[in-house]
Amino acid sequence: MAAPRTNSTTPSGAPRPATAATPGTTAGVPGPLAPRRAVVVGGNRIPFARAGGAYVRASNQDMLTAAIDGLVARFGLQGERIGEVAAGAVLKHSRDFNLARESVLGSALSPETPAYDLQQACATGIEAVVQLTNKIRLGQIESGIAGGVDSTSDAPIAVSDRLRRALLDLSRARTTGAKLAAVAKLRPKDLAPAAPRTNEPRTGLSMGEHQALTTAQWNITREAQDELALASHQRLAAAYDAGFFDDLVTPFRGLPKDQNLRADTSLEKLAKLRPTFGLGLSTPATMTAGNSTPLTDGASTVLVASDEWAAAHDLPVLATFVDAEAAAVDFVHGKDGLLMGGAFAVPRLLARNGLTLDDFDIVEIHEAFAATVLSTLAAWEDEEFCRARLGLEGAFGKVDRDRLNVHGSSLAAGHPFAATGGRIVATAAKILAEKKAALDPSEGDRPVRALISICAAGGLAVTAILEAA
Amino acid sequence: MGRAEPSGGRPLVEVALPGVPGLGGLYARGLAASARKAVGARVGALGIGGRARGAFGAGGGLPDVAYLVRDVRADAERLTEYQHLLGESASDVLPAGFVHVLAFPVATALMTRADFPLPLLGMVHLANRVEQRRPVTLGDTLDVRAHARGLRAHRSGTQVELVTEVRVSGTGADSVPAWRGVSTYLARGVRIAGLDTSTPDVSDVSDVSDVSDVSDVSDDARSRDRGGSDTSRERAPTSHVSDEARVGDRGGSDTSRRSAFEPPLPTGQWRLAADVGRRYAGVSGDVNPIHLSAPTARTLGFPRAIAHGMYTASRALATVGAARTDAFTWSVEFAKPVLLPGTVAVRVAEERDRFEYAVWNGRSGKLHLTGDVVPH
């Protein structure tokens, strides 16, 4: 009898089915272990730098190696053979096809640590956590390091399509005539380099222009966006001041904390900035450099493991990585906004786990733009949207702002695309551990949970639930 | 010469051509013939010369022939280049717009005949409608048949429809074509005496394609529209095409949305480089000088090169993507030409049973084209 393929919905509140193979009911060889939990042990990242800033000459491999080595130092992993390292970058040189493995080889980890690259736009970092924790839950590995890195300062520049074709034809040419013919097709303008573009390939719109459409659709005001941006800076600054990041961030290249952080910004300063996106729309342009994330360089890592591995290494565990859900929207035909995938993924994720928004102590919504967060919240509060697009009975719910991005997020920290997932997972796991430890005895041993939602290019989003261990 | 057969109510003599003619040569021939025809037609309009009335009998002034080319095949390299340029996946299914560029030279050849009443050069593409019954694939051997119909007086000149049918060889000339295109053209300023003038123009904003005043005509057209929205249905292109063209049509495109075009929220934008016309000419063979460069376009009255209408419509079709399914009707009406280089705002969105699309100038709000794709 085949194991049921249900990996999704169970009736609300029902316990999750023991997924996949139940020993004894599956034909053939049973898996090594029934599913078990996977935990977040900790994380380490380098401070995020503004493009052209402190890491201007550092490569993706340099930064990822630095982030891994910081993690190794924190948790005493010198020479350790980790089950697997999964990491990726969004803007990637073609020579970096084995970026994760090359970074491992350059790190203090055992050179016998396997590694692989993955890429899911801005969800790369969190997807690495999802994949490694799944392997841990299945018993395939005992430990893993999920990583992400991006450099906009060292972005890959390619040659034009015509020059590339000519060069490839030239390399295949056998005769002098064929070689001359390959080169003869070239025109001077073919020699101009092709820089990577962040425009969506199918719409030609930049991410900011896409968000501007969504911002207009949900009537998100300039004031609301600036307030969210201000809160992000103030909360991140406060967390640094309180020493929260002391065991999450390792200085690199003389940079002690995130270069984009403006502890002294104010609503007045933010209000003075000129709008940069949505200028061509009939609605007011509200998105500025202040309430949008800047281009950033940086790297992050997260150490995940089985309980057994953590105990054997005498390491504490911060949180359980409970479940994850990805979603995608059809922004090409204007059905939903490019960055609204999270609005769809989260309700599915919570339904599967029998949870509501009120069951979460903290909610982390990646601040690609302030308006991305606000559009998502507006959608969840909108009865018509939730009925028509999410198939719910009414509004999905409201997120208490005191629980939202409590130590700041990407607007203040910056957003090196693939590194954001690791930053958020490690930050959330540590907050959960702190909150669990600080629970009032009257609350008993209630679960302390975090919800994470990270939007990505291509209409993608990856969302996850963490629970204090 | 082949057998006569009915088409659009009049008997046509089928003429088999040895192969698909090259458009470059056709334009060269058309250039010579165009001046003569334009003069002749104008004289005819004055009623002092031109054709004898008898020539307008069954064909309404059009040659009573259909051109046929057998065993046409797509070239894989050209197909790939087309697909990459238009944003289609490089599948072995020919995009409907690629079938158009493969087949349309046969219709163009018809327009260069000495007895075709309108000049080829300077013709303005007003509208296009393609019905794809089933996908045509690379490796299919195709029979292409083209004839002209619907010669009518238009407010700005004379319009005509070119009907191109594509059948997979061996399926029989009487079978429903796999692909069928109807292209509506306007010969500006050409008046032919004795033509039916009672039929409304194919497109009430057609004169925005006026080459001499590209910049300001659509305001004119829009202001006229505001007073006439109640008749917009009558002016829809689907309202006066023959019954055979309606097969598969589920109500036609709702052209009333074009009345007083109000730019919607875009879903995308196209940055069109200066060489887009040359690149589309490379994959389509349509080397009409108005698309190739500013100097060649200026000789024909445009300030700069303009994008091929079918390039823009085909990009919209590519944006609809696989949701168009294997069988669909794809319509477009062209308004103001897109000057190159240029950036235009685009909306391609699902509305009930179809995808509607519009392309406009994001700054001025003036419409370039609008159309829809209706899965069957």
Side-chain angles (χ1 to χ4, degrees):
Chain A
M1 187 188 114
R5 277 180 52 83
T6 50
N7 63 346
S8 54
T9 49
T10 60
S12 275
R16 298 201 68 206
T19 45
T22 306
T25 61
T26 305
V29 182
L33 286 171
R36 53 177 177 174
R37 73 173 192 167
V39 296
V40 177
V41 174
N44 181 69
R45 66 179 177 95
I46 57 174
F48 294 166
R50 288 179 68 96
Y55 309 155
V56 66
R57 295 283 176 249
S59 69
N60 278 341
Q61 191 179 316
D62 293 335
M63 292 190 287
L64 183 57
T65 306
I68 292 172
D69 273 340
L71 191 78
V72 167
R74 276 189 203 292
F75 296 100
L77 303 176
Q78 290 84 354
E80 182 83 23
R81 178 166 66 86
I82 294 294
E84 199 154 36
V85 174
V90 173
L91 294 178
K92 197 167 156 180
H93 293 273
S94 55
R95 64 167 182 266
D96 284 340
F97 61 92
N98 237 344
L99 174 65
R101 173 61 181 154
E102 290 300 327
S103 299
V104 166
L105 284 174
S107 77
L109 290 173
S110 161
E112 293 173 359
T113 298
Y116 69 96
D117 280 35
L118 79 166
Q119 195 177 55
Q120 195 180 24
C122 300
T124 300
I126 192 167
E127 181 60 18
V129 179
V130 173
Q131 294 186 359
L132 290 181
T133 52
N134 282 347
K135 288 192 177 197
I136 290 167
R137 293 175 74 189
L138 287 173
Q140 293 173 343
I141 55 175
E142 295 296 322
S143 62
I145 296 174
V149 58
D150 255 293
S151 171
T152 49
S153 301
D154 184 33
I157 304 284
V159 300
S160 71
D161 286 346
R162 286 176 55 94
L163 176 55
R164 190 181 66 251
R165 261 181 241 135
L167 292 172
L168 289 170
D169 286 347
L170 183 64
S171 72
R172 285 187 286 259
R174 289 282 171 270
T175 65
T176 308
K179 286 174 183 170
L180 285 174
V183 177
K185 286 183 211 155
L186 285 174
R187 300 287 173 269
K189 67 169 183 168
D190 299 338
L191 303 178
R197 295 172 50 183
T198 55
N199 287 355
E200 281 294 329
R202 287 174 194 278
T203 64
L205 293 176
S206 69
M207 203 166 266
E209 288 302 328
H210 265 291
Q211 179 57 51
L213 297 173
T214 312
T215 306
Q217 185 196 340
W218 289 102
N219 296 312
I220 307 299
T221 65
R222 167 78 182 265
E223 293 69 29
Q225 294 172 53
D226 285 352
E227 280 167 18
L228 192 87
L230 179 65
S232 188
H233 283 279
Q234 290 176 338
R235 290 173 175 187
L236 185 71
Y240 267 109
D241 289 347
F244 178 84
F245 290 111
D246 288 355
D247 58 358
L248 289 175
V249 176
T250 305
F252 183 57
R253 288 291 185 268
L255 191 62
K257 60 172 76 165
D258 304 317
Q259 197 174 8
N260 189 57
L261 174 59
R262 298 280 178 275
D264 60 346
T265 194
S266 64
L267 281 181
E268 292 70 36
K269 285 180 184 169
L270 288 167
K272 280 186 192 141
L273 298 170
R274 274 209 304 262
T276 48
F277 299 113
L279 299 173
L281 301 177
S282 55
T283 49
T286 56
M287 296 170 58
T288 68
N291 57 41
S292 309
T293 46
L295 292 176
T296 327
D297 305 336
S300 69
T301 55
V302 181
L303 179 60
V304 290
S306 65
D307 281 307
E308 295 81 357
W309 187 90
H313 288 73
D314 201 20
L315 293 172
V317 298
L318 300 178
T320 307
F321 196 86
V322 178
D323 197 6
E325 172 84 10
V329 296
D330 179 8
F331 64 97
V332 177
H333 305 120
K335 208 166 174 185
D336 290 289
L338 175 74
L339 303 178
M340 292 297 278
F344 292 80
V346 167
R348 301 202 299 243
L349 176 67
L350 268 52
R352 179 162 73 226
N353 287 274
L355 298 172
T356 72
L357 284 174
D358 296 332
D359 293 317
F360 290 89
D361 290 76
I362 59 167
V363 175
E364 289 280 341
I365 304 178
H366 160 49
E367 296 167 342
F369 303 88
T372 307
V373 179
L374 296 167
S375 299
T376 303
L377 298 182
W380 285 341
E381 292 174 22
D382 187 272
E383 286 195 23
E384 193 190 330
F385 174 85
C386 292
R387 263 199 288 267
R389 301 291 302 121
L390 302 180
L392 302 176
E393 308 261 301
F396 178 56
K398 204 172 164 74
V399 173
D400 182 353
R401 293 296 181 88
D402 292 339
R403 300 179 182 186
L404 176 70
N405 300 348
V406 293
H407 286 342
S409 188
S410 306
L411 285 169
H415 170 44
F417 313 120
T420 288
R423 174 186 69 75
I424 293 178
V425 169
T427 301
K430 186 178 170 189
I431 296 171
L432 289 181
E434 288 185 348
K435 282 196 178 291
K436 181 83 174 181
L439 273 188
D440 190 278
S442 67
E443 296 182 87
D445 193 31
R446 74 165 178 86
V448 179
R449 298 188 189 92
L451 174 64
I452 297 174
S453 177
I454 297 176
C455 60
L460 295 165
V462 174
T463 61
I465 296 171
L466 272 69
E467 187 176 319
Chain B
M1 294 295 233
R3 67 203 150 75
E5 63 173 55
S7 181
R10 74 187 205 270
L12 296 180
V13 177
E14 209 159 72
V15 177
L17 305 182
V20 176
L23 282 173
L26 292 175
Y27 281 126
R29 278 176 57 193
L31 185 62
S34 293
R36 173 173 50 77
K37 285 179 188 172
V39 171
R42 284 202 174 85
V43 172
L46 295 173
I48 55 173
R51 290 154 189 282
R53 255 200 179 285
F56 287 78
L62 293 168
D64 292 330
V65 295
Y67 276 179
L68 177 69
V69 179
R70 293 187 199 282
D71 301 333
V72 177
R73 281 169 169 278
D75 172 73
E77 191 175 340
R78 184 177 163 204
L79 171 64
T80 308
E81 281 184 26
Y82 175 95
Q83 287 164 326
H84 287 172
L85 180 64
L86 275 297
E88 293 277 2
S89 303
S91 115
D92 277 0
V93 174
L94 311 189
F98 187 77
V99 180
H100 175 86
V101 303
L102 205 59
F104 197 70
V106 181
T108 310
L110 206 61
M111 290 194 275
T112 62
R113 284 172 61 99
D115 59 353
F116 191 81
L118 302 174
L120 175 66
L121 277 225
M123 288 265 242
V124 177
H125 200 174
L126 294 183
N128 207 81
R129 178 184 170 85
V130 167
E131 283 174 54
Q132 180 173 304
R133 290 305 183 131
R134 63 177 202 75
V136 179
T137 59
L138 184 67
D140 280 345
T141 304
L142 306 172
D143 292 347
V144 178
R145 185 181 187 278
H147 69 274
R149 69 176 191 195
L151 188 70
R152 314 192 156 78
H154 178 284
R155 186 178 58 250
S156 307
T158 303
Q159 76 176 58
V160 66
E161 289 175 346
L162 278 299
V163 181
T164 312
E165 295 169 340
V166 174
R167 292 177 176 81
V168 175
S169 298
T171 53
D174 297 329
S175 63
V176 176
W179 182 103
R180 184 175 189 278
V182 179
S183 300
T184 309
Y185 280 88
L186 167 70
R188 282 186 58 253
V190 177
R191 308 281 178 193
I192 299 177
L195 280 185
D196 178 12
T197 53
S198 63
T199 321
D201 299 337
V202 66
S203 162
D204 59 353
V205 288
S206 56
D207 58 351
V208 295
S209 297
D210 195 316
V211 297
S212 56
D213 46 7
V214 174
S215 58
D216 55 16
V217 189
S218 62
D219 274 342
D220 186 34
R222 281 196 286 169
S223 62
R224 214 176 30 249
D225 282 349
R226 278 183 212 111
S229 57
D230 54 332
T231 59
S232 61
R233 172 59 65 178
E234 289 172 27
R235 295 191 299 241
T238 48
S239 64
H240 58 85
V241 295
S242 69
D243 284 339
E244 60 175 316
R246 286 186 200 248
V247 177
D249 176 19
R250 296 196 293 200
S253 65
D254 179 12
T255 52
S256 62
R257 68 174 180 274
R258 274 187 46 190
S259 304
F261 175 74
E262 291 291 340
L265 268 188
T267 58
Q269 76 176 6
W270 298 339
R271 291 172 200 272
L272 304 175
D275 67 349
V276 156
R278 290 190 291 280
R279 295 182 67 192
Y280 185 75
V283 296
S284 70
D286 186 348
V287 291
N288 189 329
I290 59 176
H291 304 303
L292 300 184
S293 69
T296 53
R298 273 198 289 272
T299 62
L300 290 157
F302 287 89
R304 306 203 300 271
I306 65 170
H308 292 77
M310 290 305 286
Y311 165 82
T312 55
S314 300
R315 272 196 73 167
L317 179 65
T319 305
V320 170
R324 65 197 178 212
T325 73
D326 282 348
F328 55 87
T329 300
W330 164 43
S331 306
V332 60
E333 286 176 62
F334 299 107
K336 207 169 132 60
V338 177
L339 294 175
L340 299 174
T343 298
V344 292
V346 181
R347 179 174 178 82
V348 180
E350 195 172 2
E351 307 286 349
R352 298 177 303 280
D353 61 339
R354 67 193 57 203
F355 285 85
E356 296 184 347
Y357 60 89
V359 178
W360 66 96
N361 181 314
R363 271 194 289 274
S364 70
K366 288 180 180 174
L367 184 66
H368 292 306
L369 60 140
T370 183
D372 59 18
V373 178
V374 186
H376 290 170

